[in-house]
Amino acid sequence: MSGASIAGPALAHWLRRRGAEVTVVERAPELRPGGQAVDARGVAKEVIRRMGLDAVVRAARTETAGGYTVDVDGNVLETFRAEDDGGDGYISEIEILRGDLSRVLYDDTRGGVEYVFGDRIAGLTQDADGVDVTFAGGARRRFDLVVGADGLHSALRAMVFGPHEQFVRHLGLVLAFYSVPNEFGLDRWLIDYQDQGSGRSAGLRPVRDATRAMAMLSFPAPDFAIDYRDVKAQKELLRERMAGLGWLTPRILAHLDDAPDFYLDQVAQVVMDRWSSGRVGLLGDAAFSSSPFSGGGTGLALVGAYLLAGELAAAGWDPAAGFAGYEKRMRPFVEANQEIGRLHVQSRAVAEDAAEPDMEALMAVVDRAINGVDLPDYEGL
C-alpha cells in the first residue's frame, strides 16, 4: 500500500483484522505532524468504534467547542456549536488534526504491519497472480494486491490510471493553513471571516496546545498552476492574493515565514469512472477526493478502508469481485460528499441577492453524505 496518512493505516488495520499481511510505503521520512483539522461524522464514527479506537481518538480531539462567523470588525454573525445535530453539524464533535489522527492509526497498526518510510513505488507490473513492484530505493518485491492511498496528487494513480489532469477537478478556490502563536485570545472557539466582495476568507481554529492556533486562508483562483511542492512560490502567491483583506488577516500573515507546517493547494475533487485496474486499487483522496470544503474527506477514507478490506475478504481475496463490491457500496456515498463540497464552494461566491437554496433538498444531501452507506458485518471472514 502507498501512503501512510489516514486512508492507508486505516486500511492496514482492517486488512490485518481480515487476515492479510500488509506493507505500507510512505515517501516522507516520518509521519507528518499537525495539518488541517479533520472531522468524523455519522457512519465514520461507527467505523472508529468498530476499530476499537473511539476512546483514543476522542482523547486526541482539538476539543473545539464551536465556531463563529464574524464581520470585518469581529462582530459575531452566526454561532455553531459542536453538539449541534448530534455532534454531526458544521463543527463536528470529533474534530482532530490530520497528523494526530494519522499518529493514532499508525500506533494502532505498527505492531502488525510493515511500514517503510522514505521510499515510494517507482514502477509496477501486474499479471493474473500478482503485482511486481519496484521501489525508488532499489528493492523489488511481489504482492497480491497494491492500493494507492497517497492523496490528491497520487503518484500511483498517475502511474496506473493516467495523468492528474484526467481526474482532478479544480473547484476554483485555493486553501492554505499553518500554525501561528495564539496571540488572538482563541479559547476553544473557531473564528471565520468571509469577505463576500472578493470571495476571500481568513479564519483561526483552536488546537490542543492552547499557546498555538491554526490559521486558515482561502481565495478564488480560476486556474492553479503553482507546483504543490514549491513552498516559496506558494507563500508569495498567498501574500499577493490576501493583500488588503481586513479583520485579523495582516497579523495572521505576519507569521507566514515562521510557520513550520505551511500547506497550500487547490480545492479540488477527484472524479474517476473506476477505482481499480486488475490487482491495483485506489482509496481515499487518491480515488475520490471530495475537497476540504466537503467536511467529509476523512469519513470517506475511514469508511472506504472498512468496506474495501471487508469486500476483498468476503470475495475470498479475488480482486475483481472485491474491488467491484467496494465500489458499488461506496460510490453513492462518495457522490453525496462531493456534491456537498461543490455546494459549499459555490456558496462562498454567491451574491447577497441570490435566491435562497432549497433547504429540504440540501438537508437530504447532507444526510446522505453523513449516513448514506451501510456497514456490513465482516467479522469472522
Side-chain angles (χ1 to χ4, degrees), residues 346-366:
Q346 292 166 10
S347 73
R348 296 215 163 198
V350 169
E352 293 185 7
D353 59 351
E356 288 292 321
D358 182 338
M359 293 305 297
E360 183 176 348
L362 175 60
M363 295 313 297
V365 176
V366 169

Side-chain angles (χ1 to χ4, degrees), residues 46-320:
E46 174 61 15
V47 170
I48 291 171
R49 189 193 67 78
R50 293 188 188 185
M51 296 176 87
L53 296 177
D54 186 66
V56 67
V57 168
R58 288 177 181 274
R61 290 178 298 171
T62 63
E63 297 186 345
T64 301
Y68 303 118
T69 60
V70 299
D71 64 18
V72 70
D73 298 315
N75 300 308
V76 175
L77 303 175
E78 289 182 285
T79 300
F80 306 92
R81 292 178 171 80
E83 61 266 26
D84 292 347
D85 301 309
D88 290 336
Y90 179 69
I91 305 296
S92 171
E93 66 164 330
I94 296 185
E95 179 189 80
I96 181 172
L97 295 185
R98 183 208 55 78
D100 291 345
L101 180 55
S102 177
R103 170 62 63 178
V104 166
L105 295 171
Y106 171 72
D107 287 345
D108 170 66
T109 53
R110 62 179 176 174
V113 170
E114 178 189 13
Y115 280 89
V116 180
F117 287 95
D119 208 346
R120 59 182 175 82
I121 295 175
L124 58 79
T125 57
Q126 59 176 312
D127 54 42
D129 301 314
V131 186
D132 293 307
V133 175
T134 302
F135 292 91
R140 296 174 181 270
R141 296 175 62 178
R142 185 171 174 83
F143 299 94
D144 295 317
L145 300 168
V146 173
V147 176
D150 48 345
L152 177 67
H153 303 285
S154 171
L156 187 67
R157 184 186 63 227
M159 191 182 304
V160 176
F161 296 86
H164 299 303
E165 296 75 20
Q166 208 172 318
F167 309 111
V168 177
R169 306 285 190 267
H170 179 50
L171 298 185
L173 278 181
V174 171
L175 174 67
F177 55 85
Y178 54 94
S179 59
V180 297
N182 186 11
E183 62 183 47
F184 309 96
L186 221 60
D187 182 20
R188 299 187 64 216
W189 284 82
L190 175 151
I191 312 173
D192 184 43
Y193 166 62
Q194 300 176 28
D195 180 37
Q196 294 293 335
S198 66
R200 298 177 293 176
S201 72
L204 292 162
R205 68 161 64 246
V207 296
R208 289 181 62 80
D209 179 359
T211 68
R212 307 288 293 176
M214 186 66 66
M216 309 168 294
L217 304 165
S218 72
F219 58 86
D223 301 307
F224 185 77
I226 290 183
D227 190 328
Y228 70 96
R229 292 162 295 194
D230 189 342
V231 174
K232 181 180 178 181
Q234 291 172 2
K235 289 183 176 181
E236 290 175 355
L237 176 66
L238 185 64
R239 283 197 178 92
E240 173 190 322
R241 296 299 180 90
M242 301 305 291
L245 187 64
W247 188 58
L248 299 174
T249 309
R251 290 172 61 188
I252 293 172
L253 290 172
H255 297 288
L256 184 56
D257 288 333
D258 302 323
D261 50 2
F262 176 80
Y263 169 95
L264 181 145
D265 205 348
Q266 61 183 321
V267 175
Q269 296 183 338
V270 172
V271 180
M272 304 183 72
D273 292 333
R274 57 192 174 95
W275 304 327
S276 66
S277 177
R279 290 180 171 269
V280 179
L282 298 173
L283 174 66
D285 282 354
F288 39 68
S289 168
S290 56
S291 89
F293 278 75
S294 74
T298 296
L300 289 177
L302 294 172
V303 173
Y306 178 83
L307 292 174
L308 177 53
E311 289 298 310
L312 285 168
W317 304 102
D318 174 69

